[in-house]
Amino acid sequence: MRFTQVKNMLEQIRDFHGQLAEYYDQLSSDTEQQRIKLLLEHMSKHEQDLQEGLRAYEETASRGAMDTYVDCEYCNEILVTCKQTPIAPETSVEGVVAAAMDIDNCLMRFFREAAQQAETETVREIFRNLVEMEEAELRKLALGALQMTDT
């Protein structure tokens, strides 16, 4: 669907974060490498935090902005791309981190594109705030991954 309400778009992203959390959790169960297991558990928690952050954001955003329709043709293509980033259980720590960062960068492109497409400043601000939230979580993920490679 090309046009959707902001609240539906955010719900789609929230669900995506939930799916990623489950995916990382499953990969963690499938790997024998302790560092990878810990990293994937950390990444699962990272995705759960993003999912909860989105849920909290949705609850505080203005109803009018959440009900606004936005053009999401390009955004849907970005989500499909995000979902196609595979991580195999035998991947190195660096490979897992690179794939996770690719996904987060992909989501930030999604939010930036949505902000550019938005017709009102209120909706643009929602997506800018979500970019900032993703950036903050990406920094936390990178720091956690760096700490794991140091051990």
Side-chain angles (χ1 to χ4, degrees):
M1 176 177 5
R2 182 170 173 158
F3 292 93
T4 190
Q5 290 178 306
V6 170
K7 65 183 173 188
N8 294 335
M9 185 182 284
L10 295 184
E11 182 179 339
Q12 184 180 7
I13 297 295
R14 189 170 26 99
D15 289 346
F16 177 65
H17 282 299
Q19 292 167 8
L20 272 177
E22 290 173 12
Y23 176 65
Y24 292 148
D25 193 49
Q26 182 61 49
L27 286 174
S28 174
S29 298
D30 292 345
T31 188
E32 300 294 323
Q33 300 177 56
Q34 191 59 33
R35 278 188 169 175
I36 301 292
K37 184 179 287 294
L38 289 172
L39 178 59
L40 289 166
E41 288 171 1
H42 175 73
M43 290 169 51
S44 179
K45 174 73 169 102
H46 161 78
E47 293 301 327
Q48 290 169 2
D49 290 347
L50 284 167
Q51 186 180 29
E52 288 306 312
L54 271 173
R55 183 174 282 116
Y57 192 84
E58 288 175 70
E59 292 172 3
T60 61
S62 82
R63 188 160 185 76
M66 296 299 282
D67 290 340
T68 301
Y69 280 85
V70 291
D71 183 349
C72 64
E73 179 179 36
Y74 178 67
C75 298
N76 286 335
E77 292 173 19
I78 293 171
L79 274 184
V80 168
T81 301
C82 290
K83 291 178 180 181
Q84 293 175 347
T85 304
I87 302 173
E90 66 277 358
T91 305
S92 67
V93 169
E94 293 79 14
V96 171
V97 171
M101 290 182 151
D102 284 348
I103 292 169
D104 283 347
N105 284 322
C106 190
L107 287 171
M108 285 188 286
R109 277 196 325 270
F110 172 91
F111 291 138
R112 285 185 184 107
E113 179 68 23
Q116 289 175 352
Q117 298 292 328
E119 294 183 14
T120 68
E121 184 58 33
T122 304
V123 173
R124 276 191 291 278
E125 191 60 31
I126 286 173
F127 290 109
R128 287 183 196 131
N129 288 339
L130 293 172
V131 168
E132 290 174 13
M133 183 178 80
E134 284 284 345
E135 287 173 339
E137 283 298 321
L138 185 59
R139 284 189 295 274
K140 286 187 340 191
L141 173 64
L143 180 60
L146 183 62
Q147 290 171 342
M148 283 182 201
T149 57
D150 286 344
T151 57

